[in-house]
Amino acid sequence: PVNVLGPNGICLGDNVTLTYQSNMIPSSIIWSNGSQSNSISTSISGGYSVLLKDENGCRSRSSNKNLQSFQLPFVDAGPNHIICPNSSMTLSGTGTANSYQWTNGAQNNIPFTPTLSGFYTVTGTDINGCSNVDSTFIDFYTLMPVSYTENVSEIGLYDLAFNVTPGVPSGGSYSGPGIIGTSFHPGLAGVGTHAIVYSVLNSNGCYSTDTSFINVIDNIGIEENYLNGIMIYPNPTNDFINISNPMAISVELISNEGKSLIIRELQPFAKIDFSDFANGLYYLKLNNSNESKTFKIIKYGH
């Protein structure tokens, strides 16, 4: 027996190869299309057979192998796209194919972030193994230039919040650890270096951004403080602080949340009672005729 081996059909525009299988060792091979090689390649549908003859003159003919003609699947890559840089999108190949493979790192119906501008081609393959292609073009909107350089690059963990440096152009928004609106809260951000992003939305719906970094350090170790002969002690404290000063001064005690707790005038020596206050960080603002200064006061438990 002789059998013709090969696919059952030909995709439009393709070639297929047919071979034979037999235990006979042929001295001659004749295919139905006149070829006398071990295999044939054809792009024409129809019936194909092969006749083998050995050295004894014995002949064996295969049955007819009928090659169908397969149409190519319809494949649609969808419309062209223009998107914001660094934004995610999804490409979807549709049509009569059973599977779709994209170029440039895209996968069918799976969100991704394009990095290349140009044609993205999809190849659709049907159940007969026939394939067809289509392409879509992806381009990017141009972003406006944005500048944000933070003036405060380092701050203590227990320092007061501050308004971040305005970005250019104005009207944008800030994001990152410790950011509430336009202010940076070191206690909320925590110790470490934090990326603060300034974003501006343009008319195309795209965000232009710039980033600055703020380093928050642990500054809980606070020593006794002096200002023109004014001494504040002990600091940290668990009950009272003593303020020794050569002249009358005004004082304001502020909580870490920015709430004013005490405002009063002090004589040359005074005490402030902390025993009813919660443990934590406080700010003591002193004013005399020459200058004003704010000191950090730590209240701790027994």
Side-chain angles (χ1 to χ4, degrees), residues 4 24 62 97 101 130 205 232:
V4 175
M24 177 184 286
S62 71
Q101 299 292 325
C130 298
I232 302 170

Side-chain angles (χ1 to χ4, degrees), residues 1-301:
V2 180
N3 295 314
V4 175
L5 304 179
N8 294 323
I10 305 174
C11 301
L12 184 65
D14 285 350
N15 289 334
V16 297
T17 298
L18 299 178
T19 60
Y20 70 86
Q21 182 184 55
S22 176
N23 290 329
M24 177 184 286
I25 301 175
S27 58
S28 69
I29 303 170
I30 301 177
W31 289 86
S32 56
N33 66 351
S35 175
Q36 298 183 29
S37 59
N38 287 326
S39 63
I40 60 173
S41 179
T42 182
S43 61
I44 302 172
S45 61
Y48 291 86
S49 63
V50 63
L51 174 66
L52 304 183
K53 180 180 179 182
D54 67 13
E55 61 183 6
N56 297 315
C58 298
R59 299 183 181 190
S60 183
R61 183 187 298 276
S62 71
S63 59
N64 208 44
K65 172 76 170 179
N66 187 47
L67 291 180
Q68 303 178 57
S69 179
F70 296 138
Q71 296 296 314
L72 300 185
F74 169 72
V75 175
D76 184 12
N80 295 331
H81 306 268
I82 180 167
I83 63 173
C84 300
N86 302 314
S87 61
S88 177
M89 66 170 298
T90 300
L91 291 177
S92 298
T94 58
T96 58
N98 293 82
S99 65
Y100 298 89
Q101 299 292 325
W102 288 88
T103 59
N104 295 329
Q107 297 184 59
N108 203 54
N109 291 324
I110 296 179
F112 78 114
T113 302
T115 58
L116 300 174
S117 173
F119 284 102
Y120 286 67
T121 300
V122 62
T123 301
T125 304
D126 65 13
I127 58 175
N128 297 316
C130 298
S131 299
N132 207 350
V133 298
D134 194 25
S135 296
T136 184
F137 192 87
I138 296 178
D139 203 359
F140 303 103
Y141 287 114
T142 300
L143 297 181
M144 71 173 70
V146 167
S147 176
Y148 164 51
T149 302
E150 182 53 56
N151 294 329
V152 180
S153 60
E154 186 172 275
I155 189 172
L157 179 65
Y158 300 98
D159 288 347
L160 286 173
F162 67 92
N163 285 327
V164 293
T165 304
V168 179
S170 62
S173 60
Y174 297 86
S175 61
I179 288 291
I180 299 178
T182 59
S183 62
F184 178 79
H185 298 254
L188 181 62
V191 173
T193 300
H194 305 288
I196 308 303
V197 179
Y198 179 66
S199 304
V200 179
L201 183 65
N202 64 23
S203 59
N204 293 320
C206 301
Y207 282 96
S208 299
T209 64
D210 195 14
T211 303
S212 279
F213 296 88
I214 300 175
N215 185 34
V216 178
I217 60 175
D218 188 351
N219 62 338
I220 194 170
I222 301 175
E223 300 177 351
E224 295 176 351
N225 300 284
Y226 302 88
L227 170 66
N228 286 348
I230 301 174
M231 186 170 65
I232 302 170
Y233 64 94
N235 186 19
T237 183
N238 60 23
D239 44 25
F240 291 89
I241 62 166
N242 300 298
I243 303 175
S244 177
N245 55 293
M247 63 185 73
I249 59 173
S250 64
V251 63
E252 181 180 8
L253 183 64
I254 304 169
S255 71
N256 192 37
E257 292 77 25
K259 181 180 179 181
S260 181
L261 303 175
I262 297 174
I263 300 177
R264 71 185 185 195
E265 297 290 328
L266 294 183
Q267 296 305 310
F269 182 83
K271 284 186 176 183
I272 295 182
D273 186 0
F274 273 75
S275 59
D276 291 333
F277 294 146
N279 295 337
L281 177 68
Y282 295 84
Y283 298 88
L284 189 66
K285 185 176 181 181
L286 302 182
N287 298 280
N288 61 23
S289 57
N290 297 319
E291 59 182 313
S292 173
K293 188 173 182 179
T294 300
F295 299 96
K296 293 183 285 289
I297 308 294
I298 296 295
K299 166 67 166 57
Y300 67 93

